[in-house]
């Protein structure tokens, strides 16, 4: 009997393909592909994203099915390990498990590609490329729903580093960008790897490459249209001066009783500095503008990040006093205040309650106007699935001994906050909610004119995670054509205009200076893990457009996820039939 070897002659060839796949995947990561320092665009991230998938699709045309699936998983797993390395600061096991789960989503498309690749199949190469790309997109969409969903760093994010291509998200969201890249990648695999097929049979697959220049031209036209709309004098019905406060509290200090005074002092100091008026002209330009050193008018809205305070602000006399004293310090020009804080939902018996990760809007006088509870909770971090099987008494005992609630309650509806005297509404998104297209779409469909993300990425590193998070969020601005503000505890605090450009980033020369030594001693560049304040003036559109994605486009993700489930069910039924036939043959 011939002994199987994983490293035969073909496997060495596969290794030469898998390594570039891993490298290309890393080059397509947002922290490498995106330009966070200018309003320009790059192209190498989109090319790397397509090449990384093209290398994976080439493996089934070079190897037998089992080897192709194995090497494809290893390549995808290696790429995910590199781009999710920021998770090691919280859990190395979680890093490996999540990377493996994301990599496994590639396997159904690779399996189909391997089974139907020549010489074992006579499938038309054009059909092979089309169905392989569609299955890859379907299983990536399923990742947005499975176990609560984790649509982080989808292939579309790498493609979106090229600003003209990113504009297609207005039409079909991230699935459309992923499908475009997958079709181009599959066509490249067909054209560059003959696999015993003559050129005449493979040539029709080249038609898929025509999609790329067509998509680029369409995106360039969409970008020109939105730029013209932003530049129009009648675009803005209101201009909202906003100050985004980045306190930069390290995660170990946030729930440390000895650091409570530091948290209050940092938030109060930065907020008071943000309210000081200096006679300096505000920055000019279209879309979102940022002042050159300080705002010429005081902000009408102050924003603090997720979980900015160490307790529940509405039930803590000291935290509530910090808010009211701050707002009372500026009579006549007092702003509204939007903060991230824990909140309590007291039950009817008045004895039990649930915690929620919330955003709360305070009026200029300090009165709470509205609150919003986070809808998408982080599994294990914010809720533990097995708790629903335990009794209430056991859950209370665990919460007392752990010291914090083991599970938060999820919100059910969008949050629409209206500032005093304003007819338009803004919608908060907490933590990683800004990577879920459906949430921002629902907010805009209910009438939101401005999206605001409150987040705390202090759990992770200071470079990779903040930049990836901001890049993922930028697609929400394009899909909805709404400005997006991001206020982060440790960065990346920024403003994104409806075209997807990073119009203002804390740490660039136009950011307002601060007297805090941690910030003044920092090197130039986007600020992460250092305190600061970002001033922006946000034009609120007079007639906010309703994009095709907001009106119709979100059907793609659920439909493709359903396709992935149908494929999984079909494969299961087919295997069951094969086993039944084999059993019947043995019995006969």
């Amino acid at each position: 009997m011939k002994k199987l070897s994983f490293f035969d002659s073909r496997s060495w060839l596969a290794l030469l393909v898998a390594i570039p796949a891993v490298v290309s995947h890393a080059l397509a990561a947002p922290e490498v592909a995106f330009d966070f320092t200018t309003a320009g665009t790059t192209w190498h991230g989109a090319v790397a994203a397509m090449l990384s998938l093209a290398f994976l699709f080439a493996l089934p045309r070079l190897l037998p099915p089992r080897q192709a699936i194995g090497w494809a998983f290893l390549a995808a797993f290696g790429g995910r390990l590199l781009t999710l390395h920021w998770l090691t600061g919280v859990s190395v096991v979680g890093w490996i498990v999540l990377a493996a789960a994301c990599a496994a989503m590639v396997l159904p498309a690779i399996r189909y590609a391997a089974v139907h690749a020549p010489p074992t199949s006579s499938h038309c190469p054009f059909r092979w490329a089309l169905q392989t790309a569609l299955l890859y997109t379907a299983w990536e969409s399923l990742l947005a729903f499975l176990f609560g969903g984790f649509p982080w760093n989808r292939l579309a994010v790498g493609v979106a580093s090229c600003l003209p291509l990113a504009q297609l998200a207005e039409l079909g969201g991230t699935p459309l960008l992923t499908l475009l890249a997958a079709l181009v990648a599959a066509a490249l695999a067909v054209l560059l790897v003959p696999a015993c097929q003559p050129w005449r049979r493979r040539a029709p697959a080249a038609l898929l490459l025509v999609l790329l220049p067509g998509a680029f031209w369409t995106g360039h036209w969409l970008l020109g249209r939105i730029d013209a709309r932003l530049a129009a004098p009648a675009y803005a019905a209101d201009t909202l001066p906003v100050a985004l406060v980045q306190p930069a509290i390290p995660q170990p200090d946030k729930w440390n009783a000895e650091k409570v005074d530091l948290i209050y002092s940092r938030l109060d100091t930065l907020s008071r500095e943000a309210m000081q008026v200096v006679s300096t002209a505000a920055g000019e330009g279209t879309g979102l503008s940022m002042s050159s050193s300080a705002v010429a008018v005081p902000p009408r809205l102050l924003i603090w990040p997720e979980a900015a305070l160490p307790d529940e602000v509405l039930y803590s006399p000291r935290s509530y006093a910090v808010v009211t004293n701050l707002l009372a310090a500026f009579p006549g020009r007092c702003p509204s205040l939007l903060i991230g804080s824990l909140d309590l939902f007291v039950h009817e018996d008045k004895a039990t309650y649930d915690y929620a990760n919330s955003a709360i809007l305070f009026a200029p006088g300090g009165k709470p106007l509205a609150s919003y509870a986070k809808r998408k909770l982080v599994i294990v971090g914010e809720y533990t699935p097995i708790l629903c099987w335990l009794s209430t008494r056991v859950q209370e005992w665990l919460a007392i001994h752990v010291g914090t609630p083991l599970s938060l309650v999820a919100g059910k509806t969008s949050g629409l906050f209206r500032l005093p005297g304003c007819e338009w509404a803004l919608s908060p998104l907490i933590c990683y909610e800004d990577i879920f297209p459906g949430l921002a779409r629902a907010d805009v469909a209910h009438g939101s004119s401005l999206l605001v993300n409150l987040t705390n990425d202090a759990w992770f590193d200071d470079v990779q995670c903040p930049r990836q998070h901001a890049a993922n969020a930028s697609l929400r601005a394009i899909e909805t054509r709404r400005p997006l503000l991001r206020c982060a505890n440790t960065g990346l605090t920024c403003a994104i205009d409806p075209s997807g450009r990073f119009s203002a980033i804390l740490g660039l020369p136009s950011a307002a200076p601060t007297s805090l030594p941690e910030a003044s001693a920092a090197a130039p560049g986007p600020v992460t893990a250092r305190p600061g304040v970002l001033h922006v003036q946000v034009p609120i559109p007079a007639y906010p457009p309703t994009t095709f994605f907001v009106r119709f486009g979100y059907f793609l993700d659920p439909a493709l996820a359903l396709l992935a489930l149908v494929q999984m069910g079909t494969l299961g039924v087919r295997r069951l039939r094969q086993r039944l036939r084999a059993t019947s043959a043995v019995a006969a």
Side-chain angles (χ1 to χ4, degrees), residues 197-443:
Q197 289 179 325
W199 170 255
R200 185 173 56 185
R201 279 182 57 81
R202 292 184 288 122
L207 294 175
L208 295 175
L209 297 179
V210 180
L211 293 173
L212 190 56
F216 186 87
W217 180 86
T218 303
H220 193 272
W221 175 76
L222 290 172
L223 182 60
R225 188 179 68 168
I226 188 63
D227 284 344
R229 181 178 297 162
L230 294 173
Y235 170 77
D238 186 14
T239 299
L240 178 68
V242 182
L244 305 166
V245 176
Q246 178 174 299
I249 305 297
Q251 190 58 36
D253 295 347
K254 287 190 68 64
W255 309 111
N256 186 343
E258 297 179 355
K259 300 293 184 178
V260 170
D261 291 336
L262 169 66
I263 297 173
Y264 289 140
S265 174
R266 182 73 57 82
L267 290 169
D268 187 73
T269 300
L270 291 172
S271 299
R272 289 176 185 271
E273 288 188 358
M275 288 301 299
Q276 293 178 3
V277 181
V278 179
S279 57
T280 304
E284 298 178 353
T286 62
L288 293 165
S289 60
M290 191 171 64
S291 65
S292 56
S293 63
V295 288
V297 293
R300 287 162 48 197
L301 177 63
L302 277 173
I303 302 180
W304 293 355
E306 175 193 14
L309 294 167
D311 49 21
E312 309 83 38
V313 63
L314 296 181
Y315 297 87
S316 167
R318 188 176 180 191
S319 290
Y320 190 69
V322 169
V323 171
T324 54
N325 291 339
L326 171 67
L327 295 179
F330 303 96
R333 54 189 180 92
C334 182
S336 299
L337 176 62
L338 175 62
I339 70 172
S341 171
L342 285 177
D343 197 6
L344 295 180
F345 289 94
V346 182
H347 297 165
E348 294 181 358
D349 59 8
K350 306 296 182 181
T352 58
Y353 49 83
D354 289 317
Y355 285 91
N357 189 354
S358 299
I360 303 171
L361 178 66
F362 290 89
K367 178 183 177 181
L369 289 180
S371 66
Y372 160 78
K374 183 181 178 184
R375 289 165 283 178
K376 279 286 185 180
L377 301 181
V378 179
I379 189 170
V380 179
E382 291 180 317
Y383 81 97
T384 307
I386 62 171
L387 283 184
C388 61
W389 301 334
L390 303 178
S391 66
T392 303
R393 184 171 297 178
V394 173
Q395 293 185 37
E396 292 176 353
W397 182 87
L398 289 173
I400 291 173
H401 284 77
V402 172
T404 58
L406 298 181
S407 283
L408 304 178
V409 64
K412 303 297 183 184
T413 60
S414 300
L416 290 179
F417 293 177
R418 284 181 169 82
L419 301 183
C422 296
E423 297 182 358
W424 52 269
L426 65 85
S427 291
L429 298 166
I430 300 175
C431 189
Y432 78 149
E433 285 188 322
D434 58 351
I435 72 171
F436 289 90
L439 299 183
R441 175 191 172 273
D443 292 342

Side-chain angles (χ1 to χ4, degrees), residues 60 65 69 106-116 567 571 574-575:
I69 292 172
V106 179
L107 300 186
I110 298 299
R111 182 190 180 280
Y112 170 86
V115 170
H116 295 90
Q567 186 213 19
L571 289 176
R574 187 177 300 170
R575 286 188 176 183

Side-chain angles (χ1 to χ4, degrees), residues 480-528:
T480 61
R481 293 306 186 191
R482 297 294 189 273
L484 170 64
L485 302 179
R486 300 189 71 252
C487 184
N489 175 31
T490 55
L492 198 67
T493 296
C494 61
I496 304 171
D497 72 14
S499 69
R501 292 186 178 94
F502 287 82
S503 300
I505 303 176
L506 181 61
L508 294 187
S510 52
T514 176
S515 62
L516 292 173
E518 299 95 327
S520 59
V527 168
T528 55

